[in-house]
Amino acid sequence: SQQGEEDPQALSIQEGENATMNCSYKTSINNLQWYRQNSGRGLVHLILIRSNEREKHSGRLRVTLDTSKKSSSLLITASRAADTASYFCATDAGETSGSRLTFGEGTQLTVNP
Amino acid sequence: DAGVIQSPRHEVTEMGQEVTLRCKPISGHDYLFWYRQTMMRGLELLIYFNNNVPIDDSGMPEDRFSAKMPNASFSTLKIQPSEPRDSAVYFCASTVGGRNQPQHFGDGTRLSIL
């Protein structure tokens, strides 16, 4: 199975609601990163959380990491139509992986105005 | 500051033809990554360079694929001969320092092999 699997695969909410996306992974990690991809564009880095951190905030984003469960969640509060995009988690699996990231399959978020 | 620049943005060609994708990383970045994105396989790392030297090419699917980085500001990904199954969006990304650093992506090249 792929390292970094997101769920749900698709999420549709109304503007102003919160959106939560989850990511599970299989091996130990050095850090976990979240990226956003708008249609037809490249990925944009949102936030990085290290393996010794449990929670991190950036504006309307909140990321949690539970290394015992090998899972992470991304919460977007007070969503806006402009948040409509695909969201990917990516894991850095530590020394044995060099500098490579392994990306999950993504969650497609639709925020309806 | 300019981000990662990829060219062309779109490429349509017939199978058997040679395809060359180009990437200019962000100035000062010492790592460059080539990815391929498809609906079936998601985002896959093909190869990455550190200081212009290929470090890990285990993701390169076949000998038909080759990548070079002749200098710190330019890289190419070449497919020869191309096949319809190579149709995908190809992304280049760069970063500085490697570990614990975000990667900066270009907007990709959408490749269609007929």
Side-chain angles (χ1 to χ4, degrees):
Chain A
S1 296
Q2 187 174 21
Q3 177 89 327
E5 298 181 3
E6 291 93 336
D7 85 273
Q9 288 188 331
L11 180 62
S12 182
I13 59 174
Q14 295 299 123
E15 210 165 24
E17 294 180 340
N18 295 341
T20 300
M21 288 159 273
N22 302 297
C23 170
S24 61
Y25 57 91
K26 298 186 184 302
T27 65
S28 62
I29 61 170
N30 184 55
N31 68 65
L32 185 145
Q33 304 181 31
W34 285 91
Y35 288 78
R36 182 188 75 226
Q37 183 180 30
N38 290 86
S39 180
R41 304 297 300 274
L43 280 73
V44 175
H45 180 263
L46 295 176
I47 198 163
L48 180 153
I49 186 165
R50 301 190 186 211
S51 60
N52 62 353
E53 297 176 309
R54 292 296 167 259
E55 188 170 313
K56 207 161 182 181
H57 297 255
S58 177
R60 294 184 296 112
L61 306 181
R62 173 179 169 248
V63 168
T64 62
L65 179 64
D66 187 335
T67 53
S68 67
K69 295 181 179 179
K70 291 186 169 57
S71 67
S72 174
S73 67
L74 170 67
L75 168 68
I76 304 174
T77 60
S79 64
R80 306 167 181 168
D83 295 328
T84 294
S86 293
Y87 291 82
F88 296 87
C89 67
T91 51
D92 174 343
E95 292 302 323
T96 58
S97 71
S99 296
R100 61 185 304 142
L101 293 178
T102 302
F103 286 82
E105 296 176 353
T107 293
Q108 171 62 51
L109 173 66
T110 302
V111 181
N112 301 297
Chain B
D1 288 342
V4 175
I5 299 172
Q6 293 186 245
S7 64
R9 286 297 313 277
H10 303 275
E11 175 90 10
V12 181
T13 192
E14 293 186 347
M15 67 176 294
Q17 297 298 306
E18 178 179 292
V19 174
T20 300
L21 311 181
R22 297 173 176 80
C23 174
K24 177 178 170 56
I26 293 173
S27 177
H29 284 194
D30 56 349
Y31 283 81
L32 183 140
F33 305 82
W34 281 101
Y35 291 91
R36 178 173 67 177
Q37 186 177 41
T38 62
M39 290 294 294
M40 291 296 294
R41 300 176 65 88
L43 194 66
E44 304 173 280
L45 176 67
L46 300 178
I47 185 171
Y48 79 90
F49 296 82
N50 176 219
N51 291 323
N52 313 336
V53 176
I55 302 301
D56 183 351
D57 65 354
S58 60
M60 295 285 265
E62 303 170 32
D63 291 345
R64 298 184 296 106
F65 286 69
S66 63
K68 294 182 180 179
M69 193 164 185
N71 57 62
S73 59
F74 184 65
S75 178
T76 59
L77 178 67
K78 187 173 292 186
I79 308 173
Q80 167 63 20
S82 57
E83 297 183 3
R85 60 193 167 120
D86 302 330
S87 297
V89 182
Y90 291 81
F91 289 101
C92 175
S94 69
T95 191
V96 58
R99 311 309 304 280
N100 293 318
Q101 297 296 327
Q103 293 185 11
H104 300 263
F105 282 74
D107 279 335
T109 295
R110 182 173 295 275
L111 178 63
S112 297
I113 309 296
L114 306 177

